Amino acid sequence: MSQASLPEPSSPGQRARLAMSSFPEFYRQYWPRLVRCLVTQAGDSRWAEDIAQETMLAAIAKWDELLTYERPDAWLFKVAIRRVRRLEAQARERCLVPEDDDAAAGDLGIAASIDVWAGEHLDLIAAIRSLPRRQAEVIVLHHLIGYTLAETGEILGMCEATAKTHLKRARDRLQVLLHDDHVPAPPRPERGQPA
Amino acid sequence: MTLDERLAAASATIGEMAEAGITQRLEQLRAAHRGQTDLDRARYGAESDSAELDWAAYELAGQHEAAGDLAAAARWYGLAAASDLGDAALRLGRVLDRHADRYAGQRTGAAPSGTAAEREELALVSEAARWYIEAYSAGHLEAVGYLDDMISRHDIRRPRSRPRDAEPEAAGATAGAACARGGLDAVIEATDLAGATAHFQRCTPCQQEFVQRGGLLASWDVPAAPRPTVGPMRHAAGARR
């Protein structure tokens, strides 16, 4: 599948300022990042698009207020990640979290079938999903989305030093998981499906 | 391929998506926005604002903790931890742990006597243990050290709320939802240690059953006593997540 490349601003801050010209532009810039961030965090891929869209609905509803924020994109990730964690907490409360590798691999297969990016980075996503949630959040916000550790800490409600600690633990664990091939490898999707 | 190369490759394309797909999603969003009722708008507004409220609760808890009001700190950390905010679960565990120490300081002798202070101490230790486990599963590995330390400080002839010869409470007898796998005993019987541990980390009904059975301190021999009444402290700490 061919993916139309958007011009990449040099930093998340610059990207955010450029995207603030209108909500559609903001959406174009952050929808892919938001939904893929959520795919790496949610145990159930079906939640990712729903939560991303609900978060965007909340953003459009308070667009005028978001225009006054220094980093409206940070608000987006903060709210979306909190939604995921709240849903997961409710799932844990009801003992509804899948535990076996087959379920996890099956869910990743679904994610890969609807998004080429997920299919191309399946082993990395599987490894990130296996991390404790704070570590998974820090590594994605810092390494994949591009926030500084201070910004990452602010989004997640922790100080920069704590974010740094989680980042180190996450990197150490990922080194082991990806090197030793401990992560279950779900089937890759057929090429040519829409992202 | 090194880890940094993998991360860089994923980061380089995470913002790329077919324009048609984005436009379709944007149109769906606009339609949903147009179709929103006042109630929908209020709900979305409240949900997004709750992120700020969680942070405010966390900040307030920190101020109460600094002022030495551990009950109030636990109440506010409990609200933040219920939303899985940052390290709120770890801090809640620490505050409950310290509060249990205060009750331990009220003990008059080494032998357990089943006093209200002892029962409250046990309840606080069990709640703290639950939140330490929660913090550990979120990635705060230091929670294990705190848990070990807490147990070592409270494990001498501590009271439990149920006599030794009483039958354990049935699986699923806890308030709220029941474990889909039948409760602690069923999970332990049907699974190996690694599987049972993985399940326990993810299943709140099993964690609640564990705490109801007396938590980590259940095996100590103490006089039978009624469970403590639910005061503001326990209510806050036991807030549903």
Side-chain angles (χ1 to χ4, degrees), chain A residues 73-93:
Chain A
D73 52 308
W75 176 89
L76 205 59
F77 286 97
K78 180 197 283 188
V79 170
I81 288 173
R82 300 293 284 286
R83 279 175 197 264
V84 173
R85 297 311 174 210
R86 194 172 293 138
L87 276 174
E88 285 183 338
Q90 289 167 0
R92 283 197 299 275
E93 192 97 14

Side-chain angles (χ1 to χ4, degrees), chain B residues 78-148:
Chain B
L79 285 176
S83 295
D84 200 12
L85 175 71
D87 63 352
L90 181 67
R91 286 178 176 267
L92 176 56
R94 295 287 290 153
V95 163
L96 292 167
D97 188 348
R98 285 172 56 200
H99 205 182
D101 283 346
R102 287 188 180 174
Y103 278 100
Q106 294 174 17
R107 267 188 257 145
T108 52
S113 56
T115 63
E118 285 174 347
R119 292 195 302 274
E120 191 61 28
E121 179 190 349
L122 172 64
L124 288 165
V125 168
S126 291
E127 280 294 331
R130 179 188 164 199
W131 287 105
Y132 279 146
I133 292 167
E134 183 69 30
Y136 177 76
S137 71
H140 297 278
L141 306 185
E142 61 272 35
V144 171
Y146 292 139
L147 183 58
D148 279 350

